[in-house]
Amino acid sequence: MTLPELWTHHPQQILAFQAGDRVEDIDANSSPGFDGTKSDAPALQQQRNERFAELQEMLHANGRSGDHRSVLLVLQGMDTAGKGGIVEHVVGAGNPMGIRYTSFGVPTAEELQHHYLWRIRKALPGAGQIGVFDRSHYEDVLVVRVHNLVPPQVWGARYDEINAFERELTDAGTSIVKVAMFVSLEEQKQRLADRLASPDKYWKYNPGDLDERALWPQYREAYQAVLDQTSTAHAPWYVVPADKKWYSRLAVTELLIETLKSLELPWPPADFDVEAEKKRLLSSA
Ligand code: ADP
């Protein structure tokens, strides 16, 4: 199956960060490459979720049959950007047996005693898995940079180190899909208000989110540095406008489908004699 017709451009092309792109120019409310509207989204999302699930099962099946490859989805974005929605509505269409989800919050005392990549390495996907990082090692050059949690020469050295780390992963057979989700300040305000408006959403609200929101100019600078310095050929960044949740979910679904397709996985061949087994089954009680 090819890309559905409502896409005029593949998200992999139109959303890939290009040298010179500016974070301040991102239109969070746009839907690049998509010619449809919100009303087209539910049916299309369901159809593409099914395609994703099929490919994910194939990855899982190959992992169980000795193939070492895996996929790693890295989700970054400010609070309310919709990382959780991607996990629930996109990745959630897959079979949990083949998904490894990890969210990275404030490092624990134990984690702080180690190199920042220590906890990241422990969470990497195994053979046949799709790893999902809800926040990631990029926090170590985002929140850490904005709040001066380590000196500039320390975080400054991390961009190259992250590139080398990701290179190591891709060389070892992990396809990395890095998604930076951008929500506008107005939309973020609305989403935070929604969280404060109903008790079933309080759990998603954190008073600290408002402090981070006030630091958006500093975060914008830190995101710019991430995109400028860590969008590599082996692990490019995709810049996903996130004011329209239906759009960001459709786009990330296509990014995952394309990545899985590029692995050109077959259904693993039987490691037994199929005909002989059929006969044995027929003649059994
Ligand atoms: P979320 O806000 O994504 O729902 P949490 O409530 O667990 O999840 O918050 C995660 C918080 O942890 C964020 O504010 C994030 O900036 C912070 N965090 C993540 N990684 C680091 C890190 N390496 N150093 C400091 N803070 C971090």
Side-chain angles (χ1 to χ4, degrees):
M1 195 188 290
T2 51
L3 193 65
E5 278 166 18
L6 289 169
W7 286 98
T8 57
H9 296 81
H10 200 292
Q12 231 182 20
Q13 284 143 16
I14 202 149
L15 299 179
F17 175 79
Q18 308 287 340
D21 285 352
R22 307 290 310 160
V23 170
E24 66 207 32
D25 295 336
I26 297 167
D27 178 359
N29 195 34
S30 62
S31 45
F34 191 73
D35 209 14
T37 62
K38 184 176 182 175
S39 61
D40 297 311
L44 183 58
Q45 185 67 61
Q46 193 186 334
Q47 180 200 335
R48 301 307 277 169
N49 278 353
E50 284 167 18
R51 178 67 175 135
F52 164 74
E54 183 183 29
L55 289 162
Q56 185 244 331
E57 186 179 20
M58 212 176 250
L59 178 68
H60 178 60
N62 277 274
R64 294 286 296 264
S65 306
D67 192 297
H68 67 287
R69 284 174 293 177
S70 60
V71 170
L72 175 62
L73 175 65
V74 173
L75 296 172
Q76 280 294 156
M78 297 291 286
D79 300 301
T80 77
K83 304 184 291 294
I86 298 293
V87 175
E88 184 178 352
H89 299 286
V90 178
V91 182
N95 185 333
M97 278 196 290
I99 307 288
R100 182 162 189 204
Y101 168 83
T102 312
S103 78
F104 292 98
V106 177
T108 62
E110 187 189 23
E111 286 168 351
L112 281 174
Q113 287 183 337
H114 291 86
H115 187 271
Y116 69 98
L117 292 176
W118 180 73
R119 65 176 183 165
I120 303 294
R121 286 186 187 279
K122 285 201 303 177
L124 290 169
Q129 287 183 325
I130 297 185
V132 182
F133 284 0
D134 185 346
R135 304 184 187 271
S136 66
H137 42 299
Y138 285 98
E139 292 292 328
D140 293 284
V141 285
L142 288 165
V143 65
V144 168
R145 170 176 167 151
V146 168
H147 288 276
N148 298 309
L149 300 180
V150 299
Q153 64 271 25
V154 175
W155 57 252
R158 290 179 176 172
Y159 301 95
D160 287 347
E161 194 172 33
I162 287 173
N163 288 339
F165 168 63
E166 292 180 352
R167 181 73 213 221
E168 185 195 318
L169 299 186
T170 53
D171 283 352
T174 301
S175 301
I176 307 179
V177 182
K178 299 192 293 194
V179 169
M181 304 177 74
F182 289 91
V183 67
S184 67
L185 277 177
E186 306 87 90
E187 178 64 20
Q188 188 189 49
K189 193 169 201 171
Q190 185 57 52
R191 290 183 188 177
L192 289 171
D194 291 346
R195 289 180 181 182
L196 287 171
S198 62
D200 64 343
K201 293 210 172 104
Y202 292 165
W203 66 277
K204 293 188 187 182
Y205 187 86
N206 173 354
D209 295 351
L210 278 188
D211 303 312
E212 299 311 294
R213 177 177 158 79
L215 292 168
W216 175 233
Q218 288 90 324
Y219 271 104
R220 193 158 55 196
E221 220 175 287
Y223 268 100
Q224 187 71 52
V226 161
L227 297 171
D228 287 341
Q229 297 186 56
T230 64
S231 206
T232 55
H234 57 274
W237 274 105
Y238 296 100
V239 171
V240 177
D243 277 11
K244 295 182 167 81
K245 287 180 183 171
W246 58 266
Y247 173 80
S248 54
R249 291 172 190 171
L250 284 175
V252 176
T253 308
E254 294 305 335
L255 294 174
L256 286 172
I257 287 175
E258 197 58 25
T259 301
L260 288 165
K261 272 169 62 183
S262 72
L263 301 180
E264 297 183 341
L265 297 167
W267 285 112
D271 56 2
F272 48 85
D273 182 337
V274 178
E275 292 311 315
E277 290 304 304
K278 281 183 186 166
K279 283 193 194 118
R280 249 165 39 94
L281 180 62
L282 267 180
S283 59
S284 70

